Amino acid sequence: MVNAIKGVFISCDIPMAQFIVNMNSSMPSSQKFIIHVLDGTHLFVQPHVEQMIRSTISEFRDQNSYEKPT
């Protein structure tokens, strides 16, 4: 019998994958969302956290973007 798990496949570069893994490890064990780390650039996560991951990455990129002084 095959067991199937619904999830979201994430493909990204290595630093972003490490950011997501770090975000997952900082959560309590009941809220961890990574189902499986496939390799350094591919993750399989629970579907309900997709938007949370997107917004956290967006905030991270906004904090680390260069803005030319006016």
Side-chain angles (χ1 to χ4, degrees), residues 12-41:
C12 56
D13 60 359
I14 293 173
M16 192 55 64
Q18 288 300 313
F19 178 77
I20 296 169
V21 168
N22 186 37
M23 183 173 34
N24 182 64
S25 64
S26 68
M27 297 193 141
S29 60
S30 64
Q31 295 180 351
K32 293 194 186 277
F33 54 84
I34 293 181
I35 297 170
H36 192 71
V37 177
L38 303 171
D39 61 27
T41 60

